[in-house]
């Protein structure tokens, strides 16, 4: 019985250590994004530093196949139209190994007016602990994470009561602290290669 108790205690400690380490690696508010380099849909390498905006940058994880992303395309484009002129740049990231480059390229060219980068092997998605599409990471002018989460509170767009991203951007651009800097992103899971 003692042996079982000791074994159980060791396994429990290993589990707690694993969970603690996983949480410690999450991309937290205030974390500075390091410059990274990914290829765009035309095979041209782009860096975060060359794409970032003067006042901030939104990285949005997207998918060509996700119905939730498709439901958000118009709303996302409206945010882009309203905030690019205010110095906020947008970068799309596709981390889904299940989507071909041709599919991603066609979807991006039809739907977005910002660069789409390909995250082969989920390197950036893993670094950010991104799990879904669409998922927003807003970095301030100093490249520190200022907001992470959803665009708004309603995937269909028919009953929006909280415009999380717009509120965060308006507060930030108005020189205020972002009152709700983390929300729960929802949508389709990022398809990682196991």
């Amino acid at each position: 019985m003692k042996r079982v108790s000791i074994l159980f205690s060791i396994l429990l400690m290993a589990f707690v250590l694993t969970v603690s380490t996983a949480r410690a690696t999450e991309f937290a508010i205030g974390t500075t994004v390091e410059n990274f380099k990914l290829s765009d849909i035309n095979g041209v390498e782009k860096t975060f530093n060359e794409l970032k905006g003067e006042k901030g940058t939104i990285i949005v994880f997207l998918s060509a196949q996700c119905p939730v992303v498709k439901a958000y395309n118009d709303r996302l484009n409206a945010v882009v139209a309203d905030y690019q002129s205010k110095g906020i740049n947008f970068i799309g990231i596709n981390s889904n190994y299940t989507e071909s480059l041709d599919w991603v390229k066609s979807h991006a060219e039809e739907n977005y007016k910002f660069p789409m980068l390909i995250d082969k092997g989920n390197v950036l998605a893993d670094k950010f602990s991104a799990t879904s599409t669409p998922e927003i990471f807003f970095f301030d002018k100093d490249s520190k994470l200022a907001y992470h989460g959803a665009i708004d509170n309603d995937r269909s767009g028919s009953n929006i009561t909280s415009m999380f991203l717009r509120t965060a951007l308006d507060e930030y651009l108005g020189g205020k602290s972002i009152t709700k800097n983390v929300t729960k992103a929802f949508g389709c899971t990022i398809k990682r290669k196991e």
Side-chain angles (χ1 to χ4, degrees):
M1 192 68 170
K2 258 188 176 180
R3 210 175 261 223
V4 171
S5 262
I6 291 170
L7 180 60
F8 178 77
S9 296
I10 290 170
L11 289 173
L12 182 61
M13 287 186 339
F15 174 76
V16 169
L17 181 61
T18 302
V19 170
S20 298
T21 303
R23 286 189 180 151
T25 61
E26 285 182 17
F27 214 79
I29 297 297
T31 302
T32 302
V33 64
E34 295 175 14
N35 190 31
F36 60 82
K37 185 188 321 182
L38 293 173
S39 293
D40 68 11
I41 55 175
N42 296 309
V44 178
E45 287 190 336
K46 302 286 184 178
T47 67
F48 175 78
N49 285 346
E50 70 183 278
L51 295 175
K52 69 181 182 179
E54 180 186 337
K55 294 189 179 171
T57 310
I58 291 175
I59 291 179
V60 54
F61 285 85
L62 295 166
S63 164
Q65 68 187 2
C66 176
V68 180
V69 169
K70 290 176 182 178
Y72 267 102
N73 281 342
D74 289 341
R75 283 177 279 166
L76 180 59
N77 285 327
V79 174
V80 172
D82 291 344
Y83 291 92
Q84 269 188 331
S85 62
K86 297 176 182 179
I88 305 292
N89 280 359
F90 292 73
I91 304 170
I93 305 288
N94 186 297
S95 299
N96 287 334
Y97 89 96
T98 56
E99 297 176 13
S100 70
L101 178 58
D102 288 340
W103 191 7
V104 173
K105 181 175 180 171
S106 172
H107 181 260
E109 288 175 344
E110 288 173 18
N111 292 288
Y112 308 121
K113 292 185 173 149
F114 52 85
M116 176 69 69
L117 305 181
I118 308 300
D119 181 24
K120 289 185 182 174
N122 315 111
V123 174
L124 196 64
D126 289 347
K127 185 175 197 164
F128 286 11
S129 300
T131 59
S132 61
T133 59
E135 186 167 355
I136 298 288
F137 291 82
F138 167 57
F139 296 91
D140 67 15
K141 65 181 179 56
D142 298 318
S143 302
K144 292 181 189 282
L145 185 62
Y147 172 79
H148 170 222
I151 296 168
D152 58 41
N153 71 312
D154 183 54
R155 69 180 67 218
S156 71
S158 61
N159 191 30
I160 299 169
T161 57
S162 296
M163 300 178 89
F164 303 129
L165 180 58
R166 285 181 177 275
T167 300
L169 293 174
D170 290 343
E171 288 174 341
Y172 168 74
L173 291 170
K176 301 174 185 172
S177 295
I178 296 174
T179 53
K180 194 166 193 169
N181 55 17
V182 176
T183 61
K184 174 88 172 115
F186 53 85
C188 304
T189 59
I190 291 174
K191 308 302 185 277
R192 288 172 160 83
K193 191 165 186 173
E194 299 288 330

